[in-house]
Amino acid sequence: MQTAISSSDRLSSRGPEPSRLLVVDDDSAIRTVSRLALEYSGFSVTEACDGYTALSWLKSHRFDAILLDARMPGIDGFETCRQMRERLGMDPVPIVIATGLDDDVSIQTAFDCGATDFAPKPLNWQIIIQRLRALIRAREASIHLNGRSLQISSMLKTSSEAVLTMDRNAVIQERKHTEKLPEAVKEMFRPGCAFFDVLPVECSGRVAKAWENAVNGDSIDEFILQFGANGSDMNIQGRFIAGVENEMLCLLQDQTEAFVTERKMYELAYVDQCTGIANEKRLISELTLRLKQERDNGPSTVLIRCATSDFQEFEPRLGRSGLNKLACTIVSRINSRVTKFAKDTSLVLSEPPLVARISESHYAIALSGDGVRGDNIEELAQSILSVLTNCVEIDGFSCPMDWKIGIATSTRTTSPDALLSATAYAIQSGLAVNGNDRIRFYNSGVQENIGRAMELERLLRKDIATGALEVYYQPKFALSDRSLIGMEALVRWNNLELGPVSPAHFIPLAEQAGLIIPLSHFVIETVLDQIVRWREEGSPAVPVSINISGHHLNSQTIVEELMAGIEQRFIPCHLVELEVTESIMIEGAGRALANLHELREKGVRISIDDFGTGYSSLSYLRELPIDCLKIDRSFVNSIANDPTAHAIAKAIITVGHEVGLHVIAEGVETPEQLTCLKDAQCDSVQGYLTGRPVDRDHFDIFFGGYVPRSTH
């Protein structure tokens, strides 16, 4: 590459052409994902697999920016960057070093080698793409900045959409590249204005600390400015950098779109889609934090649970839309009483009250603060009960409901699950409040008076030992031709004394009682025997997936036991698939991950269940021992009417395919969802629309492929 580029040459060469990027990484999968993300955003991408190849490209080509991996065989990214700078001479082409190293020495080394910026792995492409564009614009601007020092030119290159030049009193002297900021924000930061005078009050503390650290040369801290205008929230990311001659630079970048997307993903996973309040997952997460604070001498927490058994009875009259209106009315009534309580009570709350919907007919209120028990809580419970028992009118129909309330305090429990369960115990047989049998407190005597839990465990233990449980099978169909490509084995318990027991009840009980491994053994043996029966009957051979718990995967004998069962029955390994959760795959606790690697090497298929709601990153997929991704039903539920859910599902499908994984969507219940998934090129589907779980004697109908529900 030539050592310098004149401004006229630069302007004439750009024209309408896309910005040219050089991506340097020894990992072909990362290069492929990088190319797709960057080309989709309008860049022209050239790939290099190592430092030598990258340096060779620079001899004959010009690039607007370079994205460089730090760790590579041969010459690493730091040395490559150093040699690039020597070859580029005075041409300030932005070089961004991508690295998983975030220590000060590595960061300093990157800059010492001539890097313009660094980006931590895994890369956030939405931010990287915006930053690359800003860096390229900064490079173009720096060519015109005659007389500016190299240090200031470097700072302008790393600007994120806008650069404010200020004096040491934080008075704005000059501004550049503010056209990408929202107009309302742009108008605030005018030359002559004091920067801190126009900030929202709630942001000023964090920003002042970042300013102090930058002025003192201690660190460069990022901060978020949140503005509201015409009902819209705007989120601006910024950082301060010391300039020369007592100047300070403030680099600002509009992150509103990224925040909206992140909030949408959060809402899909942690918000009840019908009522807009917290769901059970969010409640458990919040209780976990509050109980941890309590163990650190923080305030205690009270959980109030409101339950009715009448909710589903109204569906024949109201339909699903009517039930949704009913649920929203219930939430509105609870919120009104909780808000009034928080405003009027003398009780000091350490956290805002949290109202959550934990099932269709169960709602919970979490309150934390010193003294959150006794008369005040009884008063709130009485108030909520009185408003809930008032008849609700929905679309001309009266909906009277019978409610019960259970109350438990964190002082009597040790975990969120235990606290939530305590409210259920209280509803069943807790201590009545002032003679009101509809409001009950959990206390130490409740569990002694409840023999159900122990009886349930006894019956479950007995039925597992005698093989009295059943295994149902839910079909999986290819979207391309509707053929059967597999099935999921689901354990069912229909006890002679209790009748049908929900898996949501007995599976957690099995885990708590140490019965989960015997239960898994029963399911595995039953499934393997059924595969043999279908083979003998001449049915098509398709994989059967089995859900495996973390406890079982951590056992020392699971590989030996599973392979023995497969080999004794002469079953091809690929017909057996294990479904595991994201947390097991990412945390790799104990022996679990090693066992999965060994099983997959032997030919057993591995699938990640409920993908998209845990902590895994798409960048980890190529490293994990997996064959299949199951998109979580929370995204599938909204895919037909929520563009964000559709985009997220499509992104999971696309990247899954890029790393060679089969992608299946679970929880498909409507034709619209099926159409959206097919358009997004999802491989296969599973759900009530295509086939409910059935016992082995009724599964034959699915071997011929998917048939619309109306015909079977």
Side-chain angles (χ1 to χ4, degrees):
M1 172 175 280
Q2 297 178 2
T3 58
I5 302 175
S6 68
S7 60
S8 60
D9 183 30
R10 177 62 181 158
L11 290 173
S12 63
S13 64
R14 290 294 298 148
E17 295 180 0
S19 298
R20 293 159 295 188
L21 300 183
L22 176 60
V23 176
V24 189
D25 200 302
D26 61 305
D27 190 315
S28 61
I30 292 180
R31 295 201 307 273
T32 299
V33 173
S34 301
R35 173 185 286 276
L36 290 172
L38 294 168
E39 287 184 344
Y40 182 78
S41 298
F43 293 96
S44 173
V45 179
T46 300
E47 299 180 24
C49 62
D50 54 35
Y52 297 108
T53 306
L55 292 169
S56 177
W57 275 112
L58 286 181
K59 293 180 180 179
S60 56
H61 291 73
R62 292 182 179 182
F63 297 98
D64 298 306
I66 299 170
L67 184 60
L68 177 62
D69 184 28
R71 289 187 168 182
M72 297 184 295
I75 57 173
D76 62 15
F78 301 118
E79 178 59 27
T80 302
C81 181
R82 182 180 291 107
Q83 294 189 31
M84 283 180 171
R85 279 292 173 224
E86 292 177 358
R87 296 194 181 190
L88 290 169
M90 297 299 295
D91 187 0
V93 173
I95 301 177
V96 179
I97 291 185
T99 176
L101 305 172
D102 59 355
D103 57 281
D104 293 341
V105 174
S106 299
I107 295 172
Q108 187 60 47
T109 300
F111 285 113
D112 290 345
C113 293
T116 309
D117 205 347
F118 69 94
K121 288 186 175 182
L123 298 176
N124 184 322
W125 284 110
Q126 194 163 20
I127 294 177
I128 287 294
I129 288 169
Q130 291 188 31
R131 180 154 292 179
L132 284 171
R133 287 172 175 161
L135 290 172
I136 292 170
R137 285 196 303 272
R139 176 201 178 207
E140 295 170 350
S142 69
I143 295 174
H144 299 284
L145 293 176
N146 296 321
R148 281 288 192 173
S149 70
L150 292 176
Q151 181 181 8
I152 294 299
S153 297
S154 177
M155 297 309 167
L156 288 174
K157 285 188 300 180
T158 59
S159 66
S160 302
E161 301 300 320
V163 180
L164 304 180
T165 303
M166 300 181 287
D167 62 21
R168 290 301 173 111
N169 294 319
V171 176
I172 301 172
Q173 305 296 317
E174 185 182 10
R175 61 181 186 174
K176 291 183 178 294
H177 309 308
T178 56
E179 67 276 0
K180 293 298 183 179
L181 290 176
E183 191 64 29
V185 176
K186 176 183 175 181
E187 290 301 311
M188 295 179 185
F189 298 124
R190 289 182 170 274
C193 295
F195 182 80
F196 285 94
D197 288 349
V198 299
L199 296 185
V201 176
E202 58 272 16
C203 303
S204 58
R206 296 190 303 273
V207 180
K209 183 63 176 177
W211 171 270
E212 180 183 352
N213 290 339
V215 169
N216 296 332
D218 297 333
S219 62
I220 298 175
D221 302 329
E222 292 186 345
F223 53 84
I224 297 296
L225 303 177
Q226 294 181 314
F227 300 93
N230 300 323
S232 300
D233 291 333
M234 296 173 289
N235 297 276
I236 310 299
Q237 181 178 336
R239 54 180 171 167
F240 296 114
I241 299 176
V244 294
E245 299 179 357
N246 291 323
E247 286 184 340
M248 293 293 295
L249 300 180
C250 179
L251 311 182
L252 300 174
Q253 175 181 334
D254 186 2
Q255 287 292 332
T256 303
E257 184 178 348
F259 272 70
V260 169
T261 300
E262 188 173 314
R263 183 164 61 246
K264 279 288 187 180
M265 293 184 67
Y266 174 86
E267 290 174 353
L268 287 171
Y270 291 97
V271 175
D272 179 66
Q273 298 301 300
C274 169
T275 62
I277 64 173
N279 59 14
E280 183 178 10
K281 187 180 291 186
R282 166 73 195 286
L283 176 65
I284 294 295
S285 176
E286 182 68 23
L287 289 177
T288 299
L289 293 176
R290 296 191 184 190
L291 293 181
K292 182 180 183 301
Q293 292 173 353
E294 182 177 347
R295 289 193 293 270
D296 297 333
N297 298 319
S300 58
T301 296
V302 167
L303 189 65
I304 303 173
R305 183 182 190 130
C306 308
T308 179
S309 59
D310 302 324
F311 192 82
Q312 288 296 336
E313 295 180 4
F314 301 116
E315 184 170 7
R317 285 185 293 170
L318 302 179
R320 292 305 304 179
S321 62
L323 281 186
N324 291 342
K325 294 179 183 178
L326 179 58
C328 290
T329 302
I330 293 169
V331 168
S332 176
R333 292 184 174 187
I334 294 176
N335 272 330
S336 67
R337 296 298 175 165
V338 173
T339 301
K340 186 176 186 300
F341 170 81
K343 180 179 179 180
D344 297 343
T345 184
S346 59
L347 203 63
V348 178
L349 300 178
S350 60
E351 299 286 346
L354 177 66
V355 179
R357 189 185 189 193
I358 53 181
S359 71
E360 283 202 327
S361 56
H362 284 231
Y363 301 81
I365 305 101
L367 300 165
S368 298
D370 295 326
V372 286
R373 48 186 176 273
D375 294 342
N376 280 321
I377 298 304
E378 292 178 18
E379 178 184 345
L380 174 60
Q382 294 279 9
S383 176
I384 292 174
L385 182 64
S386 65
V387 73
L388 289 181
T389 51
N390 290 337
C391 187
V392 180
E393 294 288 334
I394 300 293
D395 296 337
F397 291 102
S398 297
C399 305
M401 288 175 285
D402 183 29
W403 289 87
K404 291 185 178 180
I405 293 179
I407 305 171
T409 65
S410 57
T411 57
R412 299 185 181 277
T413 58
T414 58
S415 69
D417 288 340
L419 184 59
L420 198 55
S421 297
T423 58
Y425 289 143
I427 288 175
Q428 289 183 8
S429 58
L431 182 64
V433 174
N434 296 328
N436 189 341
D437 195 48
R438 297 180 185 277
I439 302 176
R440 296 183 174 187
F441 268 98
Y442 175 87
N443 59 29
S444 57
V446 169
Q447 223 163 350
E448 297 176 5
N449 298 329
I450 296 179
R452 175 175 172 78
M454 295 180 62
E455 180 65 5
L456 198 65
E457 178 184 335
R458 183 188 70 81
L459 293 173
L460 179 60
R461 191 180 301 273
K462 175 184 175 182
D463 283 358
I464 290 175
T466 59
L469 283 79
E470 296 179 275
V471 174
Y472 276 42
Y473 302 87
Q474 186 171 30
K476 305 175 185 178
F477 294 103
L479 275 174
S480 59
D481 58 5
R482 295 187 174 184
S483 63
L484 181 73
I485 55 95
M487 65 189 80
E488 181 179 1
L490 302 167
V491 64
R492 294 292 184 262
W493 186 25
N494 190 1
N495 183 261
L496 292 176
E497 299 179 31
L498 303 176
V501 181
S502 169
H505 291 156
F506 73 80
I507 290 180
L509 174 63
E511 291 179 339
Q512 296 169 7
L515 296 173
I516 194 65
I517 292 181
L519 179 60
S520 292
H521 284 155
F522 164 79
V523 174
I524 290 171
E525 291 297 311
T526 302
V527 168
L528 295 181
D529 286 340
Q530 185 57 41
I531 291 175
V532 173
R533 290 192 189 95
W534 277 325
R535 180 178 64 195
E536 293 173 350
E537 294 169 1
S539 299
V542 294
V544 183
S545 59
I546 304 169
N547 291 282
I548 297 294
S549 72
H551 293 294
H552 199 181
L553 279 174
N554 266 314
S555 66
Q556 296 182 354
T557 58
I558 182 173
V559 176
E560 179 182 349
E561 292 170 350
L562 181 60
M563 293 308 302
I566 291 173
E567 292 168 359
Q568 288 171 4
R569 296 170 176 83
F570 302 100
I571 297 174
C573 290
H574 71 273
L575 294 182
V576 179
E577 182 177 274
L578 301 185
E579 288 195 12
V580 298
T581 62
E582 275 188 85
S583 59
I584 293 173
M585 298 298 293
I586 300 305
E587 294 169 4
R591 296 178 54 89
L593 197 54
N595 285 337
L596 287 173
H597 273 287
E598 186 174 353
L599 286 167
R600 189 166 183 263
E601 289 174 358
K602 294 179 180 295
V604 175
R605 291 172 54 85
I606 308 296
S607 173
I608 295 185
D609 197 16
D610 300 330
F611 185 82
T613 61
Y615 302 99
S616 64
S617 167
L618 293 173
S619 63
Y620 288 117
L621 294 179
R622 63 183 183 84
E623 302 173 7
L624 298 174
I626 54 176
D627 304 279
C628 177
L629 292 182
K630 281 188 112 175
I631 303 175
D632 183 71
R633 66 178 63 245
S634 62
F635 301 116
V636 175
N637 286 343
S638 308
I639 194 172
N641 50 34
D642 188 330
T644 300
H646 186 279
I648 293 169
K650 188 171 183 178
I652 293 173
I653 293 168
T654 300
V655 179
H657 287 167
E658 287 296 332
V659 292
L661 300 180
H662 183 94
V663 182
I664 181 172
E666 64 177 341
V668 179
E669 298 181 355
T670 68
E672 292 79 10
Q673 294 169 356
L674 190 72
T675 300
C676 288
L677 290 165
K678 187 173 183 180
D679 292 342
Q681 297 184 340
C682 185
D683 297 310
S684 53
V685 292
Q686 172 185 351
Y688 279 7
L689 176 69
T690 55
R692 292 174 177 264
V694 296
D695 61 28
R696 64 186 186 186
D697 295 328
H698 294 85
F699 193 85
D700 288 349
I701 189 174
F702 297 118
F703 281 114
Y706 165 55
V707 180
R709 187 189 304 175
S710 60
T711 63
H712 70 269

